[in-house]
Amino acid sequence: MVGIFCCILKDGKAAPIVHSALKKLEYRGYDSTGEATIHKNKLYIKKDSGTIDEVHARHNLDDLPGKIGIGHIRWATHGAPLRENAHPHIDCKEQIAVVHNGIIENFTELKKELEELGHTFKSKTDSEVIPHLIEENLNRGLPLIEATRETIKRLEGSYAIAIIYVKEPDKIICVQKESSLTIGIAENAAYPTSDIPTFLPLTKKAVTIENQEIAIVSDGKYEIRKITDWSLVPREPKLIKWVPKKAEKLGYPHFMLKEIHDQPSSIRNTLRLQDQYLELMTTFLDRAKEVFLVACGTSYHTCLAASYMFSKLAFLSTHPVPASEFIEQQGKSINIDSTILAISQSGETADTLAAVEHARLHAATILGLTNVIGSTLTRVSRVYICQQSGPEVGVAATKTFTAQLCVLAQLALRLAKKRGKVSHTEMERLEEKIEQIPDAVETILQTQEERIRQIAKKYRDIEFFLFSGRGISLATALEGTLKLLETNYIPSMTFPAGEREHGPISLVEQGFPVVFICPRDETHEKIVGDIREIKDRGASIIAIIEEGDEEIKALADDHIEIVKGMPEILSPIMYVIPLQLFAYYMAVERELDPDRPRHLTKAVTVK
Ligand code: F6R
């Protein structure tokens, strides 16, 4: 996730306006910042790694000259947070500058093609192909708008793009496909941006650029066309009446709730991972003699879920180990034949890095999955994948968990394909289902949130919770428990449902709440039996069920429904959503701050 803000004025200086607006976008990313302006037919650029304040202190963003400017704050997804990877990106002749939010899925092929045509690339980003493609089309004698049109025909993926060109300094061209973009319209100025709050101090008039549209923006004017057939789209500006107090939370009261709601789009990004990274990691996993999945906290729950995915789909047996136990438990046995897949959204968790370092010293192969390019984990991994979640501010991990699960599901599926372990039809079905996850998550959020809020109200004074599930749902139950206890300080425990008679059932008494995770998978029949037994001891059952599961509905005191027909190995991605919301609304009911749980920090960099 990144943020864009652009400015075109009749008179005045664009750079300071872009600078102060970018400050409001900082919640979208903060590892690099850049601005480009045009003055007297020359392009001026300042960009560097670091937060806006750091980059401004080093380079003084405000002294860029000119009435037209584009700006960007970055959260690295392709290429480390270095100066050369910061936006804006430019063409070979230094006449076009581009900022981009989104992912260009086919950038590797495009880059190769452009390099063969003589273009020189300065960055490792996917975005840099855009100015070079435009340059190539301008070389054919096309005006900027046509050159852009030809360019976007070649782009696969999602994008909000803003383009300026020294030979046409009276316009900013904006293109939108599945990434938000709005223009603030003032009398003699216009401000294309990722988020409305950035221009509210300057104007209250807003024009949204919808999916698959292109806008030619000049000072106070704009023209919108459909990308597909180039037809003109008449659209009047709307008056924005709200004044968000907390722009960075997009109107949500807490980051945790905002990040829970980010999930349809963050998962969509995760599903656009570059093929070659997935393929490379799959190859390493395929060759591995033994695979350890190593992480802490929520990321460890990802490891647990992943062990079911790999085993069930690809027949690969893996060992999930909490990073803090790894050296003690496995240290002596690690050798050149061992492969460690370390999972850490921050890439900086001390125990995870210590486990990796130990394994490295014993010649093991290190694979990494993280949300932070440039983190220590990316530097020590033989191959790493960036999960593309965008920055997560709330201390409790939410969107980074579901993104990790999506990456692992894709890896397991590829491995299964490579090993010939799933039929062609089953493979197609699973690929189709993975693509449906963002919409399924959206539906859960839309249809179940109010119900969950009511359930949280009902149970707000309860002092102890049990969570349970079977199979892969055990990982979901563990994550639900962690979310509740870390944001609410409620002692909670997870037990595998089949273990109930071996101890946990002794805790159950009248009204005791037990949360069951019950997808309609191979474990369903057994879980019905588990629920009956626990209910017979007087427990209150809260069940997360598949839509229309009347059998469990009849047993449960409260239920939350998940969209039908999702395969078992994908179920944690959806079944965890109500648990995240439950923890959030419990905290709100109990007047706690879910964004800042006591004693916890976002990245645990001490052991
Ligand atoms: C829980 C949570 C933590 C982290 C853990 C690992 O909500 O956020 O348990 O999951 O500290 O962090 P990463 O993934 O950064 O290694």
Side-chain angles (χ1 to χ4, degrees), residues 375-407:
S375 62
T376 308
L377 183 58
T378 61
R379 292 199 295 272
V380 296
S381 299
R382 182 89 176 265
V383 179
Y384 71 84
I385 288 180
C386 174
Q387 60 184 81
Q388 319 270 357
S389 313
E392 188 175 64
V393 181
V395 166
T398 51
K399 64 174 178 172
T400 53
F401 177 62
T402 46
Q404 287 169 349
L405 291 171
C406 281
V407 175

Side-chain angles (χ1 to χ4, degrees), residues 296-299 343-349 352 395-397 404 479 482-483 486 602-604:
C296 294
T298 291
S299 298
I343 302 178
S344 170
Q345 83 82 22
S346 64
E348 299 294 350
T349 298
T352 309
V395 166
Q404 287 169 349
E479 180 56 9
L482 181 61
K483 287 291 88 83
E486 70 180 332
K602 188 69 193 155
V604 184

Side-chain angles (χ1 to χ4, degrees), residues 281-504:
M281 195 169 286
T282 308
T283 305
F284 273 100
L285 289 169
D286 189 31
R287 281 195 213 135
K289 294 224 168 73
E290 55 175 5
V291 179
F292 295 93
L293 307 173
V294 180
C296 294
T298 291
S299 298
Y300 171 66
H301 299 153
T302 301
C303 295
L304 273 182
S307 68
Y308 288 86
M309 293 173 182
F310 284 127
S311 153
K312 290 195 165 231
L313 277 180
F315 299 6
L316 171 74
S317 153
T318 56
H319 312 279
V321 187
S324 55
E325 286 299 317
F326 180 77
I327 298 175
E328 201 55 42
Q329 189 192 80
Q330 304 291 344
K332 291 261 190 301
S333 68
I334 298 304
N335 58 49
I336 196 164
D337 289 332
S338 314
T339 294
I340 315 300
L341 172 51
I343 302 178
S344 170
Q345 83 82 22
S346 64
E348 299 294 350
T349 298
D351 281 316
T352 309
L353 295 179
V356 163
E357 190 52 23
H358 176 95
R360 242 159 56 100
L361 291 173
H362 289 77
T365 302
I366 311 298
L367 310 176
L369 170 58
T370 182
N371 192 33
V372 184
I373 294 193
S375 62
T376 308
L377 183 58
T378 61
R379 292 199 295 272
V380 296
S381 299
R382 182 89 176 265
V383 179
Y384 71 84
I385 288 180
C386 174
Q387 60 184 81
Q388 319 270 357
S389 313
E392 188 175 64
V393 181
V395 166
T398 51
K399 64 174 178 172
T400 53
F401 177 62
T402 46
Q404 287 169 349
L405 291 171
C406 281
V407 175
L408 270 311
Q410 291 175 82
L411 284 171
L413 204 55
R414 263 173 197 257
L415 189 58
K417 197 175 191 175
K418 214 180 203 43
R419 295 181 159 196
K421 299 296 184 194
V422 277
S423 68
H424 191 71
T425 327
E426 179 61 359
M427 179 67 67
E428 278 184 351
R429 186 183 80 91
L430 287 168
E431 281 170 351
E432 210 172 280
K433 291 290 175 190
I434 288 186
E435 288 300 321
Q436 290 169 6
I437 296 172
D439 288 343
V441 170
E442 185 87 65
T443 306
I444 298 164
L445 290 168
Q446 277 170 11
T447 61
Q448 303 299 303
E449 185 164 1
E450 183 49 31
R451 175 188 282 270
I452 296 164
R453 210 164 67 83
Q454 294 307 327
I455 297 176
K457 228 183 206 84
K458 175 172 166 188
Y459 290 92
R460 53 164 283 168
D461 296 321
I462 298 289
E463 291 305 327
F464 190 82
F465 277 85
L466 283 177
F467 286 75
S468 193
R470 279 180 180 259
I472 199 167
S473 297
L474 185 58
T476 317
L478 278 161
E479 180 56 9
T481 307
L482 181 61
K483 287 291 88 83
L484 186 68
L485 69 84
E486 70 180 332
T487 52
N488 285 271
Y489 324 131
I490 298 177
S492 311
M493 196 181 113
T494 313
F495 67 96
E499 289 284 307
R500 69 188 182 281
E501 302 291 346
H502 303 286

Side-chain angles (χ1 to χ4, degrees), residues 164-231:
I164 53 173
Y165 176 38
V166 291
K167 293 199 177 160
E168 297 184 37
D170 58 341
K171 61 175 80 75
I172 301 174
I173 296 196
C174 300
V175 197
Q176 201 273 63
K177 189 177 164 227
E178 295 170 26
S179 290
S180 64
L181 205 52
T182 306
I183 318 168
I185 296 288
E187 192 144 324
N188 289 316
Y191 311 101
T193 176
S194 305
D195 278 343
I196 291 170
T198 50
F199 61 68
L200 288 182
L202 304 160
T203 177
K204 303 275 183 261
K205 286 207 265 175
V207 180
T208 311
I209 308 176
E210 304 285 355
N211 195 29
Q212 305 250 44
E213 287 180 351
I214 184 161
I216 303 131
V217 184
S218 52
D219 50 13
K221 291 181 230 73
Y222 60 90
E223 177 184 303
I224 299 176
R225 289 183 179 272
K226 283 202 163 71
I227 291 175
T228 39
D229 60 6
W230 216 242
S231 58

